[in-house]
mmCIF file of all heavy atoms in Angstrom:
data_model
loop_
_atom_site.group_PDB
_atom_site.id
_atom_site.type_symbol
_atom_site.label_atom_id
_atom_site.label_comp_id
_atom_site.label_asym_id
_atom_site.label_seq_id
_atom_site.Cartn_x
_atom_site.Cartn_y
_atom_site.Cartn_z
ATOM 1 N N VAL A 421 18.932 21.766 -45.225
ATOM 2 C CA VAL A 421 17.801 21.088 -45.834
ATOM 3 C C VAL A 421 18.191 20.542 -47.212
ATOM 4 O O VAL A 421 17.849 19.415 -47.579
ATOM 5 C CB VAL A 421 16.592 22.064 -45.955
ATOM 6 C CG1 VAL A 421 15.435 21.355 -46.672
ATOM 7 C CG2 VAL A 421 16.164 22.549 -44.554
ATOM 8 N N TYR A 422 18.931 21.369 -47.996
ATOM 9 C CA TYR A 422 19.378 20.901 -49.292
ATOM 10 C C TYR A 422 20.198 19.672 -49.129
ATOM 11 O O TYR A 422 20.055 18.677 -49.930
ATOM 12 C CB TYR A 422 20.217 21.988 -49.974
ATOM 13 C CG TYR A 422 19.540 23.264 -50.364
ATOM 14 C CD1 TYR A 422 20.299 24.342 -50.846
ATOM 15 C CD2 TYR A 422 18.161 23.383 -50.357
ATOM 16 C CE1 TYR A 422 19.684 25.538 -51.271
ATOM 17 C CE2 TYR A 422 17.543 24.556 -50.754
ATOM 18 C CZ TYR A 422 18.308 25.639 -51.205
ATOM 19 O OH TYR A 422 17.716 26.770 -51.601
ATOM 20 N N ARG A 423 21.126 19.649 -48.218
ATOM 21 C CA ARG A 423 22.027 18.520 -48.006
ATOM 22 C C ARG A 423 21.227 17.260 -47.684
ATOM 23 O O ARG A 423 21.554 16.164 -48.091
ATOM 24 C CB ARG A 423 23.054 18.782 -46.932
ATOM 25 C CG ARG A 423 24.062 19.863 -47.278
ATOM 26 C CD ARG A 423 25.105 20.033 -46.196
ATOM 27 N NE ARG A 423 25.834 18.821 -45.986
ATOM 28 C CZ ARG A 423 25.983 18.174 -44.807
ATOM 29 N NH1 ARG A 423 25.370 18.645 -43.742
ATOM 30 N NH2 ARG A 423 26.634 17.062 -44.717
ATOM 31 N N TRP A 424 20.142 17.455 -46.973
ATOM 32 C CA TRP A 424 19.307 16.344 -46.592
ATOM 33 C C TRP A 424 18.582 15.795 -47.816
ATOM 34 O O TRP A 424 18.549 14.552 -48.023
ATOM 35 C CB TRP A 424 18.286 16.794 -45.506
ATOM 36 C CG TRP A 424 17.228 15.796 -45.196
ATOM 37 C CD1 TRP A 424 17.430 14.500 -44.789
ATOM 38 C CD2 TRP A 424 15.807 16.012 -45.201
ATOM 39 N NE1 TRP A 424 16.191 13.890 -44.566
ATOM 40 C CE2 TRP A 424 15.194 14.789 -44.787
ATOM 41 C CE3 TRP A 424 15.027 17.116 -45.473
ATOM 42 C CZ2 TRP A 424 13.807 14.672 -44.726
ATOM 43 C CZ3 TRP A 424 13.635 16.983 -45.398
ATOM 44 C CH2 TRP A 424 13.031 15.791 -45.020
ATOM 45 N N VAL A 425 17.994 16.644 -48.662
ATOM 46 C CA VAL A 425 17.189 16.165 -49.759
ATOM 47 C C VAL A 425 18.081 15.546 -50.860
ATOM 48 O O VAL A 425 17.568 14.718 -51.656
ATOM 49 C CB VAL A 425 16.268 17.251 -50.376
ATOM 50 C CG1 VAL A 425 15.346 17.779 -49.299
ATOM 51 C CG2 VAL A 425 17.080 18.384 -50.987
ATOM 52 N N ILE A 426 19.322 15.957 -50.978
ATOM 53 C CA ILE A 426 20.183 15.361 -52.018
ATOM 54 C C ILE A 426 21.023 14.204 -51.461
ATOM 55 O O ILE A 426 21.821 13.622 -52.191
ATOM 56 C CB ILE A 426 21.113 16.384 -52.673
ATOM 57 C CG1 ILE A 426 22.125 16.898 -51.737
ATOM 58 C CG2 ILE A 426 20.260 17.535 -53.283
ATOM 59 C CD1 ILE A 426 23.155 17.857 -52.395
ATOM 60 N N GLY A 427 20.813 13.876 -50.190
ATOM 61 C CA GLY A 427 21.427 12.689 -49.596
ATOM 62 C C GLY A 427 22.814 12.906 -48.959
ATOM 63 O O GLY A 427 23.518 11.933 -48.677
ATOM 64 N N GLU A 428 23.222 14.169 -48.726
ATOM 65 C CA GLU A 428 24.508 14.395 -48.157
ATOM 66 C C GLU A 428 24.475 14.282 -46.623
ATOM 67 O O GLU A 428 25.535 14.207 -45.980
ATOM 68 C CB GLU A 428 25.018 15.798 -48.515
ATOM 69 C CG GLU A 428 25.522 15.865 -49.935
ATOM 70 C CD GLU A 428 26.197 17.197 -50.263
ATOM 71 O OE1 GLU A 428 26.255 18.074 -49.346
ATOM 72 O OE2 GLU A 428 26.663 17.366 -51.411
ATOM 73 N N ARG A 429 23.286 14.279 -46.011
ATOM 74 C CA ARG A 429 23.127 14.063 -44.579
ATOM 75 C C ARG A 429 21.930 13.151 -44.385
ATOM 76 O O ARG A 429 20.920 13.292 -45.095
ATOM 77 C CB ARG A 429 22.971 15.362 -43.773
ATOM 78 C CG ARG A 429 21.836 16.238 -44.141
ATOM 79 C CD ARG A 429 21.686 17.413 -43.180
ATOM 80 N NE ARG A 429 21.249 17.039 -41.825
ATOM 81 C CZ ARG A 429 21.235 17.840 -40.781
ATOM 82 N NH1 ARG A 429 21.688 19.088 -40.927
ATOM 83 N NH2 ARG A 429 20.810 17.403 -39.634
ATOM 84 N N PRO A 430 21.985 12.230 -43.428
ATOM 85 C CA PRO A 430 20.945 11.250 -43.309
ATOM 86 C C PRO A 430 19.703 11.717 -42.563
ATOM 87 O O PRO A 430 18.596 11.166 -42.766
ATOM 88 C CB PRO A 430 21.620 10.095 -42.540
ATOM 89 C CG PRO A 430 22.648 10.811 -41.701
ATOM 90 C CD PRO A 430 23.158 11.952 -42.547
ATOM 91 N N ASP A 431 19.855 12.687 -41.732
ATOM 92 C CA ASP A 431 18.770 13.155 -40.858
ATOM 93 C C ASP A 431 18.181 14.459 -41.284
ATOM 94 O O ASP A 431 18.869 15.350 -41.832
ATOM 95 C CB ASP A 431 19.264 13.254 -39.411
ATOM 96 C CG ASP A 431 20.402 14.226 -39.256
ATOM 97 O OD1 ASP A 431 21.272 14.253 -40.205
ATOM 98 O OD2 ASP A 431 20.440 15.005 -38.298
ATOM 99 N N ARG A 432 16.909 14.607 -41.092
ATOM 100 C CA ARG A 432 16.209 15.875 -41.401
ATOM 101 C C ARG A 432 16.697 16.926 -40.400
ATOM 102 O O ARG A 432 16.681 16.723 -39.210
ATOM 103 C CB ARG A 432 14.695 15.683 -41.294
ATOM 104 C CG ARG A 432 13.897 16.947 -41.530
ATOM 105 C CD ARG A 432 12.409 16.666 -41.395
ATOM 106 N NE ARG A 432 12.071 16.213 -40.044
ATOM 107 C CZ ARG A 432 10.870 15.983 -39.589
ATOM 108 N NH1 ARG A 432 9.844 16.224 -40.387
ATOM 109 N NH2 ARG A 432 10.696 15.546 -38.380
ATOM 110 N N PRO A 433 17.030 18.121 -40.895
ATOM 111 C CA PRO A 433 17.423 19.218 -39.930
ATOM 112 C C PRO A 433 16.260 19.555 -38.983
ATOM 113 O O PRO A 433 15.072 19.540 -39.399
ATOM 114 C CB PRO A 433 17.747 20.386 -40.878
ATOM 115 C CG PRO A 433 18.017 19.757 -42.192
ATOM 116 C CD PRO A 433 17.151 18.554 -42.273
#
Side-chain angles (χ1 to χ4, degrees):
V421 176
Y422 292 172
R423 293 184 60 236
W424 172 54
V425 300
I426 67 174
E428 287 188 358
R429 59 175 289 170
D431 57 321
R432 179 182 58 175

